């Protein structure tokens, strides 16, 4: 298990910093501009850190709806925002470029991320159509960028999608671990915000010793059960004011979550 080395705890809770829409994104605000994106990110960063979060994951979440070929300006803007905030980041941080793993590795190399979250394998179908990921190409790109020490987190099945060739979960977990050997397998629920199926986590753990994280549905009410079976958790919307997706992060909600997490994992 590598989490203690990176995060200082065996079962980290990572907060997703939803970066505001950027140039060319449908929801971009040209009035507040890039400075508005930076300031919103700064507020969320400090709310997470002051609330006791273990790590931060920067994501272009408000680029929704996503494209598999993310535009250069998006990655450039993300790099600028992270660069502006770099001196203020006090916890380990990672990146995700939705929904373009190749660009995610580019960003990770540019900003010195400790980990990356992306879909790194498989063929799936969902609201965005069909995705067909080629792990061999991604791993070679990762190696070319000198990122083999950058920890990888990948969904076993992408959120809101189904495998094109449906296979038993155990089979997917075994072949994923053998062929790609990710540092973390992420488990999603069927719908954003709902709790994961802990039985899925137990099934995966029967066939691989790869750490398994819950990637949604993480709340103060669920964190104890989640950390009893998972090796970590990723949280986002439940930490925001009123628990609403487009709101800023609420430090009091982060504190409440981390108090529960600290008790669940028995931190001294």
């Amino acid at each position: 298990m590598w989490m203690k080395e990176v995060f200082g705890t065996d079962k980290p809770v990572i907060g997703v910093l939803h970066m505001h829409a950027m140039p060319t994104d449908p929801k971009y605000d040209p009035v507040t501009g890039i400075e508005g994106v930076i300031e919103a990110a700064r507020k969320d960063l400090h709310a997470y850190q002051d609330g006791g979060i273990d790590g931060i994951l920067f994501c272009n979440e408000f680029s929704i709806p996503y494209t598999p070929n993310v535009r250069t300006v998006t990655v450039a803007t993300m790099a600028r925002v992270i660069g502006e905030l770099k001196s203020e980041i006090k916890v380990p941080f990672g990146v995700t470029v939705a929904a373009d793993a190749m660009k995610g590795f580019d960003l990770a190399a540019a900003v010195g991320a400790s980990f990356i979250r992306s879909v790194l394998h498989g063929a799936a179908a969902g609201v965005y159509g069909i995705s067909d990921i080629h792990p061999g190409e991604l791993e070679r790109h990762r190696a070319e960028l000198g990122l083999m020490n950058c920890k990888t987190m990948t969904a076993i099945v992408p959120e809101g999608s189904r495998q094109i060739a449906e296979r038993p979960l155990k089979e997917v977990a075994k072949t994923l671990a053998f062929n790609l050997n990710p540092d973390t397998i992420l488990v999603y629920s069927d719908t954003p915000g709902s709790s994961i199926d802990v039985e899925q986590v137990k099934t995966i753990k029967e066939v691989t010793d790869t750490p398994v994280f819950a990637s949604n549905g993480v709340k103060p009410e669920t964190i104890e059960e989640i950390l009893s079976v998972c090796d970590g958790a990723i949280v986002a919307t439940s930490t925001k004011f009123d628990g609403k997706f487009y709101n800023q992060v609420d430090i009091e909600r982060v504190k409440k979550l981390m108090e529960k997490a600290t008790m669940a994992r028995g931190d001294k």
Side-chain angles (χ1 to χ4, degrees), residues 38 63 65 79 88 90 94 133 148 167 195 225 227 235 249:
I38 295 169
S63 292
E88 302 171 44
K90 307 303 181 186
I133 309 299
M148 298 311 289
R167 295 186 296 150
S195 295
E225 180 184 24
L227 293 183
V235 63
V249 172

Side-chain angles (χ1 to χ4, degrees), residues 51-80:
I53 207 76
D54 299 311
I56 299 287
L57 178 65
F58 290 92
C59 177
N60 60 319
E61 197 81 15
F62 292 178
S63 292
I64 192 169
Y66 309 119
T67 171
N69 186 17
V70 171
R71 297 186 180 185
T72 303
V73 68
T74 303
V75 183
T77 303
M78 293 180 75
R80 179 185 169 185

Side-chain angles (χ1 to χ4, degrees), residues 12 33-34 38 41-42 44 64-65 103 106 115 122 157 186-187 193 206 223 237 242 252 267:
I34 303 299
I38 295 169
R42 176 174 280 115
D44 282 354
I64 192 169
K103 302 279 189 0
D106 290 337
F115 58 97
V157 178
L186 304 177
V187 173
E206 288 178 10
I223 190 66
T237 303
D242 299 322
E252 296 305 323
D267 288 351

Side-chain angles (χ1 to χ4, degrees), residues 192-209:
S194 62
S195 295
I196 63 164
D197 182 353
V198 296
E199 293 304 316
Q200 286 191 351
V201 178
K202 294 175 182 178
T203 297
I204 295 168
K205 283 180 165 292
E206 288 178 10
V207 295
T208 176
D209 58 3

Side-chain angles (χ1 to χ4, degrees), residues 113-115 142 146-151 183:
S114 297
F115 58 97
R142 178 186 176 198
L147 291 176
M148 298 311 289
N149 289 326
C150 180
K151 304 303 183 183
D183 295 291

